[in-house]
Amino acid sequence: MIQYFEENRIGRDWVIGDIHGMFSLLESTLDDIGFNPKHDRLFCTGDLIDRGHESIRVLEFLREPWFFSVRGNHDIMPIRALRALLVNDEIPLLEWKAMGGEWFDDHSLTEVIEVAQALMDLPMLIEIKSANGVIGITHGEPKIGLSWPQVKFHLENGCHLTLLDILWGRHRIEALLGDYEQARELSKTRIDQWSIQGIDHLVLGHTVIPHWFRLGNIHYIDTGACHECGCLTLIDISHPGFLHHRGLSHHESLDYSGVFGDPSDLAFLNGQNSDVIHATCV
């Protein structure tokens, strides 16, 4: 459920946003940053499959000793669909296909079962010791007000609501966008109180945003690699003071020379949000 890592003292640690089956793009991006598989490690915020055209390749990367990921909401869909088919319930399968799981039709049932089993072995949380303190990785957002130790305690004790938050939560984003009554109430909370206590940084995926940005000590880095105008974003968490070190964003359709995201460009100041107001939640 929780996977812990000591500081990488011989190489670099990178965190990448949701991959969604874009593994060729991932490979070219790793080449561009000079990723060294003998010494470096790569951590992902989840959603390794669906929407991209290379979802089946997830098995290649899960076998690599340098690749690690938390489980995202898309990563649980194959096993849900397969379990439902055992009782002749096609609804979860149709829902999965509607959300990007149509690649299921291009592969054998044996292959899909292998993917589903591998994804279900992924942890819900990753915690890494780094030069920048302790860094956590989840897919969705823990609830506002829960500390990192509380989140871990709830998960270890089988709290279903916390599990759902880690897979699907968007509490802070919804509060910023003001789409729901509860979110409007949350928006009255001071921005600095939206940080998660008990850890130095938390890196999230799940919600597609234009650029890497920071809210308190929470970093959103899913920049929509599988979408036409999206890209993969990586941050080097081994770099001392990585908040001031530019993260690399890369997409096949974009010129490598100039696509960067800096959290300071999209920081929330005095409770006012900037470009992220146009974020697309998918």
Side-chain angles (χ1 to χ4, degrees), residues 10 43 98 137 164 236 251 268:
I10 61 173
F43 299 89
I137 302 173
L164 290 178
D236 181 358
H251 196 285
F268 293 92

Side-chain angles (χ1 to χ4, degrees), residues 56 60 118:
I56 196 66
E60 299 175 33

Side-chain angles (χ1 to χ4, degrees), residues 97-220:
K97 288 184 177 180
M99 295 183 68
E102 65 277 357
W103 62 271
F104 174 96
D105 294 326
D106 298 326
H107 299 280
S108 69
L109 183 59
T110 300
E111 289 177 306
V112 177
I113 290 174
E114 188 177 4
V115 168
Q117 291 175 333
L119 293 173
M120 287 304 291
D121 288 337
L122 295 177
M124 300 305 303
L125 307 180
I126 285 177
E127 183 176 298
I128 312 162
K129 291 182 180 178
S130 78
N132 297 287
V134 179
I135 295 178
I137 302 173
T138 62
H139 183 62
E141 297 181 19
K143 271 195 170 57
I144 296 174
L146 278 185
S147 69
W148 184 250
Q150 288 173 322
V151 171
K152 293 195 293 184
F153 177 82
H154 288 174
L155 282 179
E156 289 170 342
N157 287 275
C159 177
H160 186 62
L161 291 178
T162 301
L163 178 64
L164 290 178
D165 284 333
I166 295 304
L167 289 172
W168 298 91
R170 289 192 175 106
H171 307 288
R172 294 160 181 81
I173 292 294
E174 289 175 353
L176 289 170
L177 298 177
D179 289 340
Y180 305 96
E181 182 176 349
Q182 180 184 13
R184 285 192 290 271
E185 288 300 312
L186 289 172
S187 67
K188 300 174 184 176
T189 306
R190 290 206 328 267
I191 292 293
D192 60 352
Q193 294 177 340
W194 291 10
S195 292
I196 183 164
Q197 304 302 314
I199 195 167
D200 295 295
H201 301 279
L202 176 61
V203 184
L204 304 174
H206 189 46
T207 299
V208 176
I209 42 85
H211 301 283
W212 166 30
F213 73 93
R214 174 170 53 91
L215 182 59
N217 65 348
I218 300 177
H219 305 260
Y220 298 77

